[in-house]
Amino acid sequence: MPTRPSQADIYQTRYGSHGDYPMIVLAPASAREIYDETIRAFDLAELCRTPVILLYDQVIAQSSETVALGGRTSVHATRKWASGPREAYKPYAADADLIPPMPRPGDGYRTHTTGLTHSETGFPSQDPETVTRNLGRLYAKLDKHRDLIDSFEAVRCEDAEVVIVAIGISARAARRAVDACRAEGKKVGLFRPVTLWPFPEVALREATRNAKAILVPELNIGQLRLEIERQLRDRRVEGLHLISGEPITPAQIAAAATKLASEV
Amino acid sequence: MFSDAPHFDVRDYLRKEMMPHFLCPGCGHGMALRALLWAIHELNIDRDKLAVVSGIGCAGRLSAYIDANTFHTTHGRPLAYATGLALARPDLHVVVITGDGDCLAIGGNHLIHACRRNLKLTCLMLNNEIYGMTGGQVSPTTSETRLTTTTPHGNSEPNFDACALATAAGAGFVGREVTRHVPKLKELIKAGLQHPGFAFVEVVSDCTEVYGRKNDMGSSAEMVLRQKSEMRPSAYRDSVDEPFRSTDLPTGILAQNNRPEYGAALRAAAAARAAK
Amino acid sequence: MNEQSNVVALNATSEPTAFNAALAEPTNVLIVGVGGQGVILVSKVLASLAQAHGYEVKQSEVHGMAKRGGTVFSHVRFGPRVWSPTIAKGEADVLIALEWAEGLRWLPHLKRDTGVFICDTKRIVPPFACRSRRPGAPMRYATETAEQVAAYVSEAYAIDATKMAEELGNERAANVVLLGALSTVLEFALPEWEKTVTAFVPKKTIAVNSAAFELGRNWIAEAKNEPPSADAAPAAAPVHAPYQPRLEITDAWCKSCEICVKLCPERCLTLNADRIATLVAPEKCTGCRLCEWLCPDFAIRVHLDPEAPAMEAAQ
């Protein structure tokens, strides 16, 4: 549905290929956050030598908001370049941080870059052990730098009995629903993963420590809900799904949260 | 060949640990690769400053065998990668190796827009009229009536003249040669490498295992010989006394112009803005 | 001799030669060369000139293989009465050759006692003169020395007309240099020559051809005053140093495609029992490198080893 919001690409960004690999996906929810997260996306891509996807729905992408820019600057603008002897140089032999320095054309390393699975030499390999080792390193690399990658927003979650988990325009609506519910005396909070993948599961568990139920409003038939169900197996997880091409309203979310709060 | 200077040794330019290469017996791509490396040798291009970008397919695999900065990119997109590389690093010699399917079908739009921009790049399109690596599917250059796995009753689509396409799209240099004439192909690639804009070189290559076999085109050697009988070198192209070969494949430099080079124009515009 | 010293008189006589066609016998001029050199133009100029002079002219030419670099010759006969259009052996008064070996080939047509031989030292080696592709094989181009030629004819000039024309900026004007040389041995007046040459050469090249004509004419005049020189004829230099071809075949890279076996012009390769390309007739190999160039697997490397002196002598 062109020009209409939808959020059905949550898994496509993460698992879009038949080959296995980790992926960083950032899901900003405002014009200001798009600005900040774009800087961070480049920082992460440069630092971790990995593709980063900025994921936003149509409403977030095409809304205009008054923002004060500045404040955020790039921290990792410099890529790690290869140095040292050129003989027997291995472009994918990683340092202790699991990120191999990158050879620059013209520096004399004469390396090969390929989209095929490759060994530390950069040349295509289908050796099971080599492939497992190198793809494994990609996962370990992101695991090792989770402190830089993870980002989230938790609103009034400390005492919340119902925590709403949402991204993008659904999270914007949920933010207002939280205020509406709180005004009614309902203990409702919002957890918004800014880094969607890898999912900030530790922060989610912390934010939902006191929650009895989770509400996941999203513009699809149930994608983010699957991940929350997987993370919080002991909790009741309800979805609020809309596939009509319209965004979910704060009132719809507030109503669903209120209903859920009364049931637990 | 009678020169006292040591003859070009292709092995000096290969990643020998990768040899023998993965191409089928008799594949024309090996000859094309030799001609490219020979041209690079004769132009004395520093291999540290040579970047070879290739796409997907049999032709795409060639970059891995060249001892230089090599990039094996995505299907149809080597020109897009190369455009970025050449713009960011005008000090590099950027050469693209692509195939007929990669360049004209999946990457057809990248080709015409690369021609239009006229960025300094050399694009070598190895035309064997088939998607060889994936098992012999029909490609945009498969001749009419040819049998392929996806045209079991003979190809009924008219095929592309890649050089005419590149010329129409404005490429600065367009040429075609057959692998049969390795020294002439080398000279053509040399001219392309020296051209200050976008150079498109179509190499008429043979796929013996997947295409020739299916179409009864004989052994590898017979296919190589057939190239000679079906081509039309530039020297004879416009000759009045060759009236009966007008449909044969024109070879040599087919088009050349001096349109402004895109990278230089872009940098000049940026410098002019910065000076304001 | 002029300062350029690229021209040499083989044996000049002190008496300037001039054939007078007004005598009863016709004057016979034979013009020979290789396709593309301009033999026909020379004969047309001469025929037209003689005709304008009031003589009866007969011309006969063969230019069938001209386009393929084959031999071209033209007989021009003029006088009060001319019957046969061709010149018999030993009957030519003047032999103009635009190519060295062609000149030698037609020498028997020249009159032994009075004939004038004017020959460009330009060498165009025909394919048949190097039919053996064996390395170091002797080239079968004419080996006659200038002395031998001088001994055969009464008056001979070896002129590097091609080089002279080249220095004028147009190699193709060599034939007009020779026309200039020819003008000194025939009876026609200089203005007649100049008028006819101008009428026959392409308009754009009139200036260069006029200069070429003058150069050839002056050269003969100067050469007649020069002592004969022995080293006029070009020596048959070897095209390349002798070598012995050697094939280095990387068995592990060969994929038995047989392209080298089938395309070797000497048929000296084959696939061995393991279906690996092998040189079976090394004595036939000429080192042409076709197998190296066409091997898609880079499995063949041709080395041209310098040949041992003993082997060179054996040939």
Side-chain angles (χ1 to χ4, degrees):
Chain A
M1 229 182 296
T3 75
R4 296 285 166 196
S6 185
Q7 295 180 319
D9 41 12
I10 287 173
Y11 283 104
Q12 190 184 22
T13 56
R14 174 62 192 88
Y15 300 109
S17 153
H18 65 288
D20 211 343
Y21 54 88
M23 180 58 87
I24 297 177
V25 179
L26 308 180
S30 68
R32 169 67 208 224
E33 205 169 54
I34 287 176
Y35 175 79
D36 289 340
E37 290 303 297
T38 303
I39 294 174
R40 204 165 71 94
F42 274 93
D43 283 349
L44 290 174
E46 292 288 324
L47 178 89
C48 298
R49 281 191 72 183
T50 188
V52 176
I53 290 180
L54 272 170
L55 180 71
Y56 22 92
D57 53 77
Q58 180 268 332
V59 182
I60 298 297
Q62 297 185 317
S63 57
S64 298
E65 293 177 284
T66 307
V67 294
L69 295 181
R72 169 131 209 166
T73 48
S74 174
V75 286
H76 300 296
T78 316
R79 189 178 291 178
K80 225 164 64 168
W81 296 111
S83 60
R86 294 169 190 191
E87 296 75 30
Y89 169 74
K90 287 186 177 163
Y92 296 98
D95 299 343
D97 60 4
L98 300 181
I99 302 166
M102 193 166 176
R104 196 171 3 203
D107 285 354
Y109 292 100
R110 294 189 203 162
T111 52
H112 185 58
T113 307
T114 179
L116 305 175
T117 52
H118 45 261
S119 72
E120 285 80 355
T121 62
F123 292 109
S125 171
Q126 295 191 345
D127 172 52
E129 201 182 307
T130 306
V131 170
T132 308
R133 185 173 66 241
N134 281 280
L135 286 180
R137 178 180 63 76
L138 296 186
Y139 278 92
K141 175 172 74 175
L142 293 202
D143 285 347
K144 209 173 173 73
H145 297 282
R146 284 297 290 272
D147 52 330
L148 287 166
I149 297 166
D150 282 10
S151 176
F152 62 93
E153 184 190 20
V155 180
R156 306 185 80 165
C157 287
E158 305 79 23
D159 62 340
E161 290 177 348
V162 173
V163 169
I164 306 170
V165 180
I167 59 166
I169 186 57
S170 305
R172 293 281 289 266
R175 178 71 183 80
R176 197 162 154 198
V178 167
D179 288 349
C181 291
R182 286 281 173 174
E184 298 285 320
K186 302 283 189 303
K187 288 182 174 175
V188 175
L190 167 67
F191 181 81
R192 181 171 70 88
V194 178
T195 300
L196 179 59
W197 302 113
F199 196 88
E201 61 281 299
V202 177
L204 174 71
R205 237 167 263 132
E206 173 64 26
T208 54
R209 205 167 11 142
N210 299 316
K212 296 189 175 66
I214 315 294
L215 177 66
V216 186
E218 52 182 334
L219 301 176
N220 56 50
I221 213 71
Q223 292 193 0
L224 188 57
R225 179 168 57 87
L226 295 179
E227 179 65 14
I228 306 304
E229 281 170 356
R230 191 176 73 85
Q231 300 283 354
L232 305 171
R233 291 174 187 217
D234 52 341
R235 240 69 66 84
R236 182 173 170 191
V237 178
E238 287 287 323
L240 175 57
H241 304 299
L242 200 61
I243 52 169
S244 62
E246 306 158 286
I248 307 173
T249 64
Q252 287 169 318
I253 298 173
T258 304
K259 181 166 176 281
L260 202 55
S262 65
E263 288 172 7
V264 292
Chain B
M1 66 181 172
F2 295 118
S3 157
D4 288 339
H7 188 74
F8 160 69
D9 189 345
V10 70
R11 296 173 300 183
D12 296 344
Y13 287 77
L14 294 174
R15 287 170 171 148
K16 285 190 275 293
E17 68 277 15
M18 301 288 292
M19 294 294 292
H21 57 55
F22 91 121
L23 299 168
C24 305
C27 174
H29 288 7
M31 301 170 207
L33 179 57
R34 167 184 293 274
L36 170 66
L37 296 177
W38 195 355
I40 285 163
H41 169 80
E42 291 203 347
L43 291 175
N44 214 8
I45 293 172
D46 179 2
R47 270 172 292 165
D48 285 345
K49 296 284 180 193
L50 171 68
V52 182
V53 186
S54 62
I56 295 297
C58 302
R61 283 296 192 101
L62 293 187
S63 64
Y65 302 105
I66 305 173
D67 186 13
N69 304 284
T70 53
F71 302 89
H72 178 215
T73 67
T74 48
H75 208 349
R77 273 79 191 164
L79 279 169
Y81 284 85
T83 299
L85 188 56
L87 278 178
R89 294 288 301 274
D91 60 314
L92 298 178
H93 265 273
V94 182
V95 177
V96 169
I97 303 179
T98 175
D100 45 302
D102 196 49
C103 189
L104 296 175
I106 296 102
N109 264 286
H110 289 294
L111 172 68
I112 58 173
H113 295 295
C115 293
R116 175 174 63 84
R117 275 184 215 109
N118 202 33
L119 176 66
K120 173 146 179 52
L121 280 180
T122 308
C123 177
L124 225 64
M125 191 195 86
L126 274 47
N127 179 6
N128 57 7
E129 300 196 8
I130 197 82
Y131 283 92
M133 189 191 267
T134 48
Q137 290 80 8
V138 67
S139 96
T141 57
T142 306
S143 299
E144 280 186 81
T145 74
R146 290 281 189 225
L147 301 173
T148 71
T149 50
T150 45
T151 56
H153 308 296
N155 179 25
S156 50
E157 293 181 11
N159 59 347
F160 242 141
D161 179 341
C163 288
L165 176 71
T167 306
F173 177 100
V174 179
R176 178 193 283 128
E177 195 51 76
V178 294
T179 52
R180 166 79 174 81
H181 291 308
V182 176
K184 284 191 78 178
L185 176 58
K186 176 256 298 177
E187 289 300 324
L188 183 69
I189 296 173
K190 255 170 87 176
L193 285 167
Q194 288 171 298
H195 182 77
F198 182 78
F200 179 79
V201 176
E202 177 186 348
V203 184
V204 178
S205 185
D206 284 329
C207 173
T208 54
E209 285 293 317
V210 182
Y211 191 57
R213 187 186 296 263
K214 207 168 176 80
N215 285 285
D216 251 348
M217 294 161 93
S219 68
S220 305
E222 282 169 288
M223 288 188 74
V224 170
L225 287 168
R226 190 181 46 86
Q227 288 184 350
K228 196 176 174 184
S229 62
E230 290 185 3
M231 64 154 198
R232 224 164 171 238
S234 52
Y236 300 107
R237 197 157 56 237
D238 305 317
S239 163
V240 285
D241 42 6
E242 292 262 314
F244 305 114
R245 298 186 58 189
S246 55
T247 55
D248 286 354
L249 202 61
T251 60
I253 297 174
L254 303 177
Q256 202 164 7
N257 65 47
N258 290 315
R259 288 175 55 224
E261 197 269 327
Y262 175 65
L266 200 67
R267 285 188 291 279
R273 275 198 304 276
K276 271 183 192 163
Chain C
M1 187 181 285
N2 65 19
E3 284 184 356
Q4 292 177 332
S5 79
N6 51 8
V7 289
V8 180
L10 292 180
N11 60 347
T13 56
S14 53
E15 287 289 311
T17 317
F19 298 98
N20 191 344
L23 300 173
E25 284 299 306
T27 304
N28 299 327
V29 180
L30 182 59
I31 305 130
V32 302
V34 171
Q37 285 192 304
V39 167
I40 304 299
L41 182 111
V42 171
S43 68
K44 273 183 181 168
V45 167
L46 181 57
S48 169
L49 184 60
Q51 200 168 24
H53 204 79
Y55 289 132
E56 196 173 304
V57 182
K58 281 199 165 58
Q59 186 205 346
S60 166
E61 66 193 34
V62 164
H63 60 259
M65 295 301 279
K67 274 212 128 179
R68 308 244 180 264
T71 178
V72 177
F73 59 86
S74 180
H75 300 240
V76 179
R77 305 188 75 210
F78 56 90
R81 289 300 275 158
V82 182
W83 300 103
S84 166
T86 56
I87 303 166
K89 252 187 190 172
E91 289 298 323
D93 294 301
V94 186
L95 172 60
I96 298 275
L98 278 66
E99 201 272 340
W100 180 251
E102 287 301 315
L104 299 186
R105 182 213 299 278
W106 288 95
L107 265 183
H109 273 66
L110 200 61
K111 286 181 180 162
R112 281 297 295 269
D113 46 351
T114 59
V116 180
F117 179 47
I118 302 175
C119 188
D120 191 345
T121 55
K122 168 84 174 173
R123 289 155 41 111
I124 298 175
V125 181
F128 272 77
C130 37
R131 211 157 49 160
S132 169
R133 290 179 292 229
R134 281 288 303 153
M139 190 167 66
R140 308 213 179 274
Y141 189 79
T143 53
E144 283 76 5
T145 62
E147 288 90 341
Q148 287 172 299
V149 176
Y152 188 84
V153 287
S154 67
E155 187 177 344
Y157 303 95
I159 172 169
D160 197 345
T162 304
K163 190 177 171 195
M164 291 160 80
E166 248 171 37
E167 282 165 4
L168 285 175
N170 190 345
E171 189 195 358
R172 301 182 62 183
N175 57 342
V176 179
V177 172
L178 290 171
L179 259 176
L182 176 66
S183 72
T184 62
V185 298
L186 295 179
E187 58 177 298
F188 309 112
L190 182 59
E192 287 180 85
W193 279 104
E194 284 170 345
K195 191 178 145 203
T196 322
V197 169
T198 307
F200 274 91
V201 300
K203 279 208 177 65
K204 283 181 188 165
T205 63
I206 287 176
V208 67
N209 277 309
S210 298
F213 185 86
E214 200 184 326
L215 211 55
R217 189 174 167 91
N218 293 342
W219 183 85
I220 295 282
E222 284 177 36
K224 282 180 189 292
N225 300 324
E226 283 294 318
S229 166
D231 55 7
V239 178
H240 52 79
Y243 58 81
Q244 191 59 43
R246 173 169 59 86
L247 260 57
E248 178 189 353
I249 296 174
T250 312
D251 290 6
W253 294 5
C254 174
K255 293 187 187 137
S256 326
C257 73
E258 267 194 317
I259 286 179
C260 58
V261 174
K262 298 270 176 62
L263 270 83
C264 171
E266 315 300 333
R267 298 280 191 271
C268 56
L269 285 151
T270 189
L271 293 190
N272 66 14
D274 299 326
R275 296 194 55 77
I276 300 296
T278 314
L279 181 65
V280 283
E283 72 285 354
K284 284 197 209 156
C285 174
T286 65
C288 74
R289 291 195 191 278
L290 201 58
C291 54
E292 177 179 340
W293 292 338
L294 291 180
C295 175
D297 298 293
F298 314 117
I300 304 181
R301 169 74 176 152
V302 177
H303 296 275
L304 302 182
D305 297 334
E307 196 166 73
M311 298 176 76
E312 194 181 347
Q315 290 183 348

